[in-house]
Amino acid sequence: TPSKEGKMFIKALFDYDPNEDKAIPCKEAGLSFKKGDILQIMSQDDATWWQATHEGDANPRAGLIPSRHFQERRLALRRPEILVQPLKVSNRKSSGFRRSFRLSRKDKKTNKSMYECKKSDQYDTADVPTYEEVTPYRRQTNEKYRLVVLVGPVGVGLNELKRKLLISDTQHYGVTVPHTTRARRSQESDGVEYIFISKHLFETDVQNNKFIEYGEYKNNYYGTSIDSVRSVLAKNKVCLLDVQPHTVKHLRTLEFKPYVIFIKPPSIERLRETRKNAKIISSRDDQGAAKPFTEDDFQEMIKSAQIMESQYGHLFDKIIVNDDLTVAFNELKTTFDKLETETHWVPVSWLH
Ligand code: 5GP
C-alpha cells in the first residue's frame, strides 16, 4: 500500500546486480542496487518484475527489480547455502565473558558456542530478507536523539570506539546502566556502575520481558533493561548500546528507532599487522583479563563477523571497518553527525 503522498519506498535488504541475474528478461533494463539502498517503487503491475528508481536520484531511470515474491522464492530455494553452518569456537577460559556468558544452561552442558545455541534464531531469520517498506520519518521537534546499536565480534574494538565517543561529548552520548544481582562493592554506588537488584526481582523482570539481554556470570545475573535505554533517551542523549545482533530485532520499534552500526574487522592480514601488540579484552567493560591476541582470536573474529553479517546484515544501517582506530572513529563520528540531519527512513510496520 503506497504512503499518503502516493509514493512507495522500500529498503533493499540484499545486493542486486541485473548482469548476474539469469532470470531477468533484459539485463539492460535492470536496476542494480546495494543492501540498504532506498528505492522508490514505480510499478508493481508485473508479479515477477517491479519497476523502481533510486530514491533521491536527480535523473531517475526506472529499472526492473525482482518482485518480493519472486526474490523470496528463489532465495528460499538457495537457503541451504545461505543458512550459516554452526561455527566451532574453542571454549578456552580466556575466550571470555561475552561468549561464555550468553550460553544457555543447555549449551553450557554440551559445551557448544553461542552460535550453535542460537540455532533457533537462525530459523527466526529464515523469512528471507528481500525488501522492507519504509517511509521518511519526520522527527518531532523535541525528539532529537535516538538509540544507536553497535554490534561486532569480540575484539574488534567496539568498546574502544564506544568509549572514545562517550568521552568526546559526554553531554551528547550516554550509555545504559546494567542490572546485576551481585553484591555492591564498597566503591560502587547503586545506579552508577550497576543497578543492584535481588535474584528474585531479576528473575521476575526476565519473566516480564524487561531485559534486552541478560546472562549469568559467576552465579550472578547481569543484564541490560529496556528501561535503562529509556532513561538515557529521556536525558536527551544518544543512547549507545552494544548487544549481540540477535537482540536487535526486539529493539526495532517506533519507540527506539535504532540505528544499527556493524563494526567489522579488516582482513586477517591487517588484523595481524594492526593488533600485533594489542590485547583482547573479552568482557564488555574491561573487567576481564586482557590477553595478547592470538592467531585463533583473529580467525574467530573474522568467522564470527562473517556469521553476523550473513545472518543480520539486513538489519545493519551502516558498516564501519575498524582497521585503523582513528580512521574508524572519524567515520563513526561522521555517521553520527549525519544521523541528525539526514532523512531517517523507518519501516512502515513501525507506524502501525
Ligand atoms: P563485575 O561483577 O566484575 O562488575 O562484572 C562481571 C562481568 O559482568 C563483567 O565481565 C561485565 O562485563 C559483565 N556485565 C556487566 N554488565 C552486563 C550486562 O548488562 N550484560 C551482560 N551480559 N554482562 C554484563
Side-chain angles (χ1 to χ4, degrees), residues 87-92 95-96 99 115 153-154 265 268 271 280 294-307:
L87 172 69
K88 262 252 160 303
V89 181
S90 62
N91 251 320
R92 290 170 298 126
S95 66
R99 208 158 34 227
Y115 298 107
V154 175
I268 192 134
L271 278 179
I280 183 167
T294 64
E295 179 64 22
D296 266 8
D297 292 327
F298 295 148
Q299 299 203 357
E300 274 182 33
M301 204 196 300
I302 301 268
K303 261 196 214 164
S304 156
Q306 280 167 352
I307 290 181

Side-chain angles (χ1 to χ4, degrees), residues 121-218:
D121 269 276
Q122 294 182 352
Y123 295 106
D124 247 355
T125 54
D127 36 317
V128 278
T130 52
Y131 306 109
E132 181 167 53
E133 191 182 344
V134 291
T135 183
Y137 177 76
R138 284 172 234 296
R139 233 176 345 214
Q140 321 282 309
T141 36
N142 60 344
E143 183 190 17
K144 195 165 172 204
Y145 304 111
R146 59 191 294 202
L147 173 62
V148 177
V149 180
L150 301 168
V151 300
V154 175
V156 75
L158 200 148
N159 284 313
E160 237 165 316
L161 287 167
K162 192 168 103 175
R163 192 173 33 243
K164 269 172 92 82
L165 261 179
L166 268 175
I167 55 177
S168 76
D169 191 344
T170 49
Q171 291 307 303
H172 194 79
Y173 301 107
V175 284
T176 53
V177 180
H179 284 68
T180 182
T181 61
R182 79 151 162 77
R184 186 176 62 81
R185 295 175 189 147
S186 56
Q187 76 283 7
E188 293 174 334
S189 20
D190 193 18
V192 178
E193 289 83 2
Y194 290 103
I195 297 162
F196 297 92
I197 61 171
S198 70
K199 276 203 162 147
H200 177 75
L201 185 54
F202 199 106
E203 281 163 1
T204 315
D205 284 355
V206 167
Q207 292 300 311
N208 293 327
N209 253 325
K210 300 239 172 161
F211 289 102
I212 296 161
E213 62 85 34
Y214 71 96
E216 204 178 334
Y217 177 72
K218 292 192 179 162

